[in-house]
Amino acid sequence: LGVRRMDELLDEYGADTVSAALVALGHRAEALMRSELTELPDGRWEAEDFLDNDGITDVPLRINMALEIKGDRMVLDFTGSSPQCAGPVNIALPTTVATAYVAIKHVFPALPANAGVMRPIEVIVPDDSLLSARFPAPTGGYTETILRMIDVVFSAFAQAAPDRVVANAYGTINALSIAGKRSDGQPWVMFSFYGGGHGGSIEGDGLNHGNAPISTATIPPMEILEAAYPVMFRQWALRPDSAGTGSHRGGLGAVYEIEVLEENGAEAFLFGERGRFAPKGIVKGGDGAMNVFTYEQEDGWHSPPLASKMRGIRLQKGQAVRLETPGGGGYGKAANRAPAAIARDVARGLVSAEEADRAYGTAWREGAQ
């Protein structure tokens, strides 16, 4: 379809006109980006965050960025980020630059989607960084790293232009696979990703149980998963008390508990993040709840040694895995949240009365009478 439409465009206007138009669009995008940058204050701001580990060695991996704005130019400097690692959370340099563009498009949503936007922007990445991986470094877990990159960009921009960004989203797709063989010998593999809370912003509370901010993919409905695979969702619900506090709270994470129904059992693995480093609030907002993964065995429930990653989990019929996904970070001081909004959250079961008292004080109870 794309080829046909381009052929039609070229047939109607000619190659010279189409080529000139594409060049002009790039120049226009560059001019708009420069105009946006001149409206921001000049300065330098730093932010950092961490991946739990690389899935092999239980050592946190740092992603550091310095944001520098000067006139109509901007620099995103990732110097200080951890070196290339043995596990699959490395990303290649082109992916790093593309991720920076995705983050910038969130900060400047009115800009057109073309490469001209990046001309006034310099992205600096050290050669030995996990953000500039070289063959044969594994990169299969790249989604977790690019999500953390976006969080760091937002955290830096929150210091320069807090009205333009949201607090950190839940920050992991929680790639969970459950697989086995049916009684007739046919193999089955249920691979899916799962949602969580988005960050609060100057405009309002974060989205509850949203998709990751890196694609337009959607979370498969549990009815579809149950129809296709020998599993049952014991629970698919919002996760109370998971949102970061703030004048505008973060969105709530979710709870998924999945039981194996197949007589032959199954094997599970999880590749996630945010098991040790919570999604951050901004402008003095609170952090969201961290990721919690547990799995059932004959002697009860267990947690992975690496917090958010594990493979080779044997499950018998009737046993389950449980994901409690992170909430989003909050925006602004908790003391500034309207008592009526707190009372509404408590009445809806999004926040427990005890957590509301701890996070916001007890003044909200007067409006709940």
Side-chain angles (χ1 to χ4, degrees):
L1 177 61
V3 170
R4 187 166 71 246
R5 292 282 171 83
M6 180 58 75
D7 286 344
E8 291 170 356
L9 197 66
L10 291 167
D11 290 342
E12 183 173 356
Y13 294 103
D16 291 342
T17 299
V18 171
S19 179
L22 294 176
V23 170
L25 287 172
H27 290 329
R28 181 175 298 180
E30 177 184 356
L32 289 170
M33 182 77 252
R34 291 185 185 278
S35 176
E36 293 269 11
L37 290 174
T38 57
E39 295 180 4
L40 299 178
D42 286 356
R44 180 183 172 88
W45 303 269
E46 291 197 37
E48 67 173 8
D49 210 331
F50 295 85
L51 297 169
D52 295 340
N53 48 61
D54 68 354
I56 297 176
T57 304
D58 198 9
V59 175
L61 299 170
R62 182 181 187 226
I63 296 180
N64 186 77
M65 194 197 78
L67 165 67
E68 186 171 357
I69 299 174
K70 187 174 182 179
D72 64 352
R73 301 273 313 166
M74 180 166 68
V75 177
L76 306 180
D77 186 353
F78 291 93
T79 300
S81 298
S82 289
Q84 181 173 301
C85 59
V89 294
N90 302 289
I91 58 177
L93 181 60
T95 305
T96 296
V97 176
T99 302
Y101 171 73
V102 171
I104 288 165
K105 274 291 292 175
H106 280 286
V107 178
F108 304 97
L111 292 175
N114 71 54
V117 168
M118 296 298 290
R119 291 175 190 164
I121 301 168
E122 182 181 5
V123 180
I124 299 174
V125 184
D127 288 340
D128 63 347
S129 168
L130 86 163
L131 305 180
S132 57
R134 299 187 181 187
F135 182 84
T139 58
Y142 72 98
T143 53
E144 305 303 307
T145 308
I146 64 179
L147 285 168
R148 197 64 65 256
M149 265 190 65
I150 292 173
D151 289 340
V152 170
V153 173
F154 282 10
S155 293
F157 263 100
Q159 302 169 61
D163 58 320
R164 286 180 174 262
V165 294
V166 298
N168 288 179
Y170 63 105
T172 175
I173 67 167
N174 272 326
L176 175 64
S177 170
I178 305 175
K181 286 190 175 181
R182 301 180 189 271
S183 55
D184 62 2
Q186 286 295 312
W188 61 276
V189 181
M190 187 185 87
F191 179 87
S192 189
F193 47 88
Y194 297 87
H198 282 236
S201 71
I202 194 172
E203 295 183 357
D205 295 341
L207 177 69
N208 297 327
H209 188 221
N211 293 300
I214 56 172
S215 76
T216 57
T218 57
I219 303 161
M222 71 173 180
E223 292 86 356
I224 297 297
L225 296 174
E226 288 183 337
Y229 306 104
V231 301
M232 177 181 69
F233 280 80
R234 295 177 182 171
Q235 190 172 7
W236 176 305
L238 293 179
R239 180 185 177 189
D241 295 338
S242 59
T245 59
S247 55
H248 292 142
R249 62 161 174 78
L252 272 67
V255 180
Y256 310 90
E257 190 169 314
I258 310 168
E259 179 182 336
V260 173
L261 302 180
E262 176 55 55
E263 290 288 348
N264 293 327
E267 184 170 305
F269 84 79
L270 175 74
F271 197 90
E273 268 296 331
R274 286 297 191 199
R276 291 181 176 152
F277 299 93
K280 294 182 179 181
I282 60 174
V283 201
K284 301 187 182 301
D287 294 347
M290 289 188 286
N291 205 17
V292 178
F293 175 71
T294 52
Y295 58 96
E296 199 172 13
Q297 301 285 270
E298 290 183 359
D299 59 347
W301 289 87
H302 296 255
S303 299
L306 297 179
S308 56
K309 302 174 184 69
M310 190 170 181
R311 63 179 181 174
I313 303 169
R314 290 298 309 169
L315 300 168
Q316 302 303 317
K317 179 181 178 181
Q319 293 176 345
V321 295
R322 180 182 175 92
L323 264 175
E324 300 173 58
T325 67
Y331 185 99
K333 295 180 181 179
N336 294 336
R337 185 160 179 81
I342 302 169
R344 183 172 62 249
D345 284 346
V346 173
R348 292 176 175 175
L350 306 181
V351 180
S352 67
E354 295 75 18
E355 174 62 14
D357 287 346
R358 183 199 67 78
Y360 298 103
T362 59
W364 67 271
R365 290 181 177 271
E366 297 177 8
Q369 301 300 323

